[in-house]
Amino acid sequence: MRIDIVTIFPEFFDVLDLSLLGKARQSGLIELGVHNLRDSTHDRHHSVDDTPYGGGAGMVMKAEPWGAALDAILGEVPTEASAPVPDDGPILIFPSPAGDQFTQAMARELSLEQHLVFGCGRYEGIDQRVVDHYEARGRVRLVSLGDYVLNGGEVAVMAMIEAIGRLIPGVVGNPASLIEESHEDGLLEYPSYTKPSTWRGLDVPPVLLSGNHGAISAWRREQQLERTERVRPDLLAEGLQPPANAKPSTSPRR
Ligand code: JD8
């Protein structure tokens, strides 16, 4: 997968050299390009923002630097808006508090793409015509990390790249560990334990030391249901999702 990021804080993404994603880049599973928006400005101050039309607090990011930066990454996009919008090719993703909620299902969907381009806004946001221009010429998505306000898109992009990147086959060493995760089957994960079997007077649940795998799976499922009921009953309302590797069920959904 090719990932491009446009931002005024390119060093923010240096951390992507580390850990799993760092290895995935070395192995070629993920190709990453980080672009400084100011490199697409031509004035002495490399200015990327200006006052909002209609007044109001704060500054808005100018369209021209974004147009220059994204055209350079997306390659020639059809000039006239009437051209059919290709349903393949890169997806341009703008993090925004006004975007669609980012979820595990969206992460799985985007992990199947060949080329993701992330545009990190700052200030009060990006001139709306940037989104309108590229929406008329290709696939554009506004995505929100959650219902709270950040100062810019970088943190959201970091979270999305981690959630998407680890679903690319080969990035996570043992793909089995991807199955039994919160949100993968619509349930929160069960509690985990490791040695010692007693710590500060707290014992590991005996069933986990029993070697009885049937009993252990039943206990873990029970823990998932109890925890989800208690912490995220909304997930139960959504109905359980079949685990990613589940065979499509022929029986009508109850
Ligand atoms: C992109 C600029 C800051 C937002 C005025 C504060 C995502 N879940 C999320 N919360 N906030 C963002 C987000 C915030 C951003 C930008 C994403 C670009 N800002 C603005 C509007 C109010 N300032 C986000 N994903």
Side-chain angles (χ1 to χ4, degrees):
M1 174 187 283
R2 168 82 192 179
I3 295 176
D4 285 286
I5 304 170
V6 180
T7 171
I8 60 173
F9 298 123
E11 61 282 34
F12 187 95
F13 295 96
D14 292 351
V15 69
L16 291 175
D17 299 342
L18 306 176
S19 81
L20 275 176
L21 293 169
K23 292 192 186 64
R25 291 176 60 196
Q26 282 145 23
S27 65
L29 283 169
I30 293 177
E31 215 184 306
L32 178 70
V34 180
H35 313 266
N36 187 335
L37 182 66
R38 294 189 192 281
D39 296 344
S40 298
T41 63
H42 311 296
D43 64 303
R44 198 146 52 84
H45 303 296
H46 302 300
S47 52
V48 295
D49 63 312
D50 205 333
T51 53
Y53 276 124
M59 300 292 272
V60 174
M61 298 193 97
K62 295 164 63 66
E64 301 102 322
W66 277 101
L70 292 171
D71 282 358
I73 293 166
L74 294 168
E76 271 329 296
V77 286
T79 49
E80 61 297 334
S82 57
V85 172
D87 63 3
D88 58 358
I91 290 192
L92 179 50
I93 300 172
F94 291 103
S96 163
D100 302 324
Q101 174 66 53
F102 184 63
T103 62
Q104 186 66 10
M106 190 191 289
R108 187 153 290 281
E109 183 198 332
L110 292 172
S111 71
L112 306 173
E113 292 290 336
Q114 294 309 308
H115 188 187
L116 304 179
V117 180
F118 292 98
C120 301
R122 279 272 155 178
Y123 308 98
E124 297 313 301
I126 302 171
D127 186 306
Q128 179 61 35
R129 292 169 289 181
V130 174
V131 170
D132 300 346
H133 174 82
Y134 289 101
E135 258 178 356
R137 291 162 178 76
R139 297 187 292 167
V140 176
R141 300 187 68 166
L142 269 59
V143 178
S144 170
L145 207 54
D147 297 343
Y148 39 83
V149 180
L150 302 169
N151 286 337
E154 284 78 7
V155 168
V157 167
M158 187 69 80
M160 287 188 242
I161 289 176
E162 174 143 329
I164 295 164
R166 63 195 299 281
L167 297 174
I168 295 169
V171 170
V172 169
N174 156 9
S177 70
L178 290 177
I179 305 298
E180 291 179 350
E181 290 175 335
S182 284
H183 305 297
E184 194 52 64
D185 59 359
L187 291 177
L188 301 184
E189 64 208 24
Y190 50 77
S192 297
Y193 303 81
T194 186
K195 291 187 271 312
S197 59
T198 299
W199 176 74
R200 296 188 179 180
L202 299 170
D203 296 329
V204 169
V207 64
L208 299 179
L209 310 175
S210 68
N212 177 338
H213 298 298
I216 290 169
S217 308
W219 179 86
R220 284 175 168 172
R221 185 75 173 176
E222 182 42 45
Q223 290 292 313
Q224 285 190 275
L225 290 166
E226 184 279 328
R227 185 182 249 184
T228 308
E229 173 81 35
R230 176 164 43 82
V231 180
R232 293 290 307 278
D234 58 298
L235 291 176
L236 290 178
E238 274 167 33
L240 298 180
Q241 322 301 326
N245 67 345
K247 298 192 187 25
S249 67
T250 50
S251 60
R253 184 180 283 281
R254 283 192 304 294

